[in-house]
Amino acid sequence: MEQILSISQPTEAAAHLRCIACGSTPASAAQDFRCTACGDLLEFNFVRWPEDRPALKSLWIQRKTILKPLDQSGVWRFRELLPQIPEEDVITLREGNTPLYDLPRCAKIAGVDTLQAKHQGMNPTASFKDTGMTIAASSAHQQGFRWVACASTGNTSASMAAYAARGNMHSLVLIPEGKISWGKLSQSLDYGALTCQLRTDFDGCVRILNELVRRKPVYLLNSVNPYRIEGQKTAAIELMEQLEWESPDHIIVPGGNLGNSSAIGKALLEMHGLKLIDRLPKLSIIQAQGANPFYRTVKEFGGKKLESMTAHTQATAIQIGNPASWKKALRVLNETGGTVEEVSEVEIAESKAEIGADGIGCEPASAVTLAGLKKLRKTGFVKEGESVVLILTGHLLKDPDFTIKFHRGDLFAGTPDEQQAGQTTGLQRSPVVLDPNLGAVIAALEAAERTKPKIQPE
Ligand code: F0G
């Protein structure tokens, strides 16, 4: 097998950094990954791609059978489409290789024939962040940094802390106090990060971190770091591989800081340019109503500007009012013909329970995708016969508080959404406390048989 691989090993790609606004091409990035000429974001621009593209598809599949960590990683096995990093610097937890599931009950609810979910919560630290982190942390290692840092709503910090630990680096986490889930906080503690809970929101944490990296030799691992974007591209490449390179009509992603949508869109455009896929899926981005600056950019300001806001949503992962990558996201939205939608808190909670009831589950931020799909069906943007893939970004167990409160009926108590939340009671499964006797359990079973749950097995 090794021999087959070395025979068909294609030439490597070559890429350089380029500013998305003024097009300048710095030899290296500044500490804050902003263009020193105009202050906008940088991206990797590929000036050479491997020549033998048809061979790539079989090479990537073959690598799954090789035991080498680099080939076992669902990110690095696609390394021909990524910036090159020497193998000795690579930090991998065998990220990627995440499942693509059918969601038959959710498909019925949404009114589409084919609905699938690419579950990025099935990564080593249980969110999509690992795919970008493996590359960006490896780049920090290659450059000899002792410290890496990020501002986070919880998943980036969990992922960064794990990769830093694996790569013998120190990590500094800035998180908004009281605004991230315990599950995520516990991860960064266990992986050994210096975890600072700042009395501000995510956007406040970002501002302080940007100052810090200019003062201290600390490597910034937020998604303004273009290595993160390159790694997150692989979710889309792997998705196409799982679909045998037949594009779905729609891909739907949650939007927070907008790095992930930018990455998935970049991968789609590159794959299309390389003729790895024949057709571009429409990439659509969904935000929570209370954290919708990008939705407003598109719908109110015609894509001309972003007006930052103070964000509020119980989907804390996407509680972001000033998304860094909005220009990148706007570009991929336009180039793929996708759209943007906003969904309410109750719609998020309801959709999350529906994804759970399909035996899959996800964290609240991921469930905006199904909630958004339902709206896009109603507006006619998505048609019944079209195929749709939702990107689920985080695991159900990331935020058990939200799930338990929902099933107990407490999630919206005392909030303006209390009344609208009535529509979700059919989905609630509060635990039943019983005396320890058989009769009580049988009575509970029979009562459950008599009630008609909103979603039931076929
Ligand atoms: N879903 C989950 C579960 C997330 O954690 C995030 C972002 C998003 C969606 C939105 O992705 O920011 O690329 O648009 N979480 C970041 C964090 C901000 O710090 O963990 P995005």
Side-chain angles (χ1 to χ4, degrees):
M1 189 56 80
E2 287 287 351
Q3 211 186 359
I4 297 170
L5 285 181
S6 59
I7 287 169
S8 61
Q9 191 82 34
T11 47
E12 286 178 350
H16 61 218
L17 289 170
R18 182 178 66 182
C19 171
I20 61 164
C22 73
S24 63
T25 54
S28 62
Q31 294 276 56
D32 62 358
F33 290 101
R34 296 269 168 186
C35 172
T36 44
C38 77
D40 223 314
L41 295 186
L42 303 177
E43 66 176 356
F44 275 106
N45 175 40
F46 284 79
V47 288
R48 191 182 71 222
W49 292 105
E51 271 146 33
D52 187 2
R53 303 212 189 111
L56 289 174
K57 292 181 181 175
S58 51
L59 174 69
W60 292 334
I61 286 275
Q62 279 174 39
R63 281 187 179 143
K64 284 177 129 181
T65 64
I66 310 287
L67 297 177
K68 222 168 71 163
L70 214 61
D71 292 330
Q72 288 284 300
S73 161
V75 170
W76 294 100
R77 72 188 177 88
F78 298 109
R79 53 191 173 269
E80 284 73 19
L81 303 192
L82 304 173
Q84 305 298 311
I85 293 200
E87 195 167 338
E88 63 272 18
D89 287 308
V90 168
I91 308 163
T92 173
L93 285 163
R94 322 295 185 268
E95 51 291 314
N97 294 324
T98 57
L100 179 67
Y101 295 123
D102 287 333
L103 293 178
R105 296 187 190 97
C106 292
K108 259 190 206 160
I109 294 166
V112 288
D113 295 339
T114 314
L115 180 60
Q116 291 176 297
K118 172 85 174 143
H119 207 325
Q120 294 299 92
M122 300 300 190
N123 267 294
T125 75
S127 87
F128 72 99
K129 304 289 183 180
D130 296 339
T131 54
M133 203 55 75
T134 180
I135 300 203
S138 301
S139 146
H141 194 260
Q142 183 192 4
Q143 294 174 60
F145 278 92
R146 283 187 68 236
W147 278 90
V148 293
C150 72
S152 181
T153 56
N155 279 327
T156 302
S157 44
S159 181
M160 179 190 75
Y163 282 85
R166 299 295 299 171
N168 281 321
M169 295 180 288
H170 299 284
S171 61
L172 167 69
V173 163
L174 302 187
I175 46 171
E177 203 228 343
K179 298 189 180 87
I180 80 162
S181 77
W182 288 113
K184 298 172 189 178
L185 175 61
S186 67
Q187 284 182 289
S188 75
L189 300 179
D190 228 34
Y191 299 138
L194 167 57
T195 304
C196 302
Q197 297 181 279
L198 305 188
R199 289 183 212 96
T200 177
D201 55 11
F202 169 80
D203 303 292
C205 292
V206 169
R207 278 193 294 275
I208 292 184
L209 186 62
N210 281 335
E211 293 290 315
L212 180 84
V213 295
R214 287 184 207 117
R215 301 269 292 273
K216 290 278 178 188
V218 166
Y219 188 73
L220 180 66
L221 279 176
N222 276 83
S223 58
V224 293
N225 181 325
Y227 285 99
R228 287 266 319 274
I229 302 294
E230 291 302 307
Q232 287 174 209
K233 285 190 328 194
T234 57
I237 305 171
E238 189 177 86
L239 169 65
M240 291 304 168
E241 182 185 68
Q242 287 164 313
L243 294 171
E244 298 183 0
W245 305 98
E246 289 286 329
S247 297
D249 295 300
H250 296 273
I251 298 177
I252 301 183
V253 289
N257 215 16
L258 299 171
N260 201 33
S261 35
S262 305
I264 288 172
K266 187 171 192 279
L268 295 176
L269 294 168
E270 288 175 354
M271 282 190 285
H272 192 238
L274 290 170
K275 299 196 166 44
L276 291 168
I277 52 173
D278 295 334
R279 195 164 70 88
L280 273 177
K282 294 189 171 77
L283 180 70
S284 293
I285 301 173
I286 318 296
Q287 294 205 295
Q289 237 158 36
N292 66 352
F294 185 65
Y295 173 84
R296 296 185 55 217
T297 289
V298 176
K299 298 282 179 182
E300 284 176 35
F301 311 130
K304 298 274 187 303
K305 64 165 182 172
L306 182 108
E307 204 171 89
S308 61
M309 63 187 290
T310 304
H312 292 289
T313 170
Q314 297 209 59
T316 51
I318 49 173
Q319 187 161 279
I320 294 172
N322 189 24
S325 295
W326 71 273
K327 286 186 192 162
K328 288 185 180 179
L330 187 67
R331 183 183 145 224
V332 298
L333 199 80
N334 289 337
E335 292 195 15
T336 67
T339 190
V340 59
E341 194 45 272
E342 60 172 358
V343 291
S344 72
E345 294 295 290
V346 173
E347 288 167 334
I348 295 171
E350 181 177 55
S351 297
K352 183 176 121 47
E354 288 163 348
I355 294 167
D358 238 329
I360 304 296
C362 63
E363 69 164 283
S366 309
V368 301
T369 53
L370 178 61
L373 169 63
K374 289 186 234 171
K375 285 193 139 171
L376 296 179
R377 270 294 290 129
K378 285 203 183 103
T379 62
F381 185 81
V382 175
K383 315 224 169 10
E384 185 180 1
E386 290 185 318
S387 52
V388 182
V389 175
L390 309 180
I391 306 293
L392 300 183
T393 45
H395 198 279
L396 170 68
L397 293 176
K398 281 283 190 175
D399 193 351
D401 273 3
F402 182 106
T403 309
I404 290 170
K405 278 190 194 152
F406 173 82
H407 287 286
R408 289 202 167 135
D410 299 339
L411 191 62
F412 297 107
T415 75
D417 296 317
E418 201 162 358
Q419 217 167 8
Q420 201 204 339
Q423 73 188 55
T424 64
T425 45
L427 286 161
Q428 287 164 14
R429 299 277 173 276
S430 196
V432 188
V433 181
L434 299 172
D435 287 332
N437 67 62
L438 181 61
V441 176
I442 288 178
L445 190 67
E446 289 174 352
E449 273 287 339
R450 283 192 299 276
T451 54
K452 288 239 178 306
K454 191 169 171 202
I455 304 178
Q456 42 190 339
E458 298 287 295

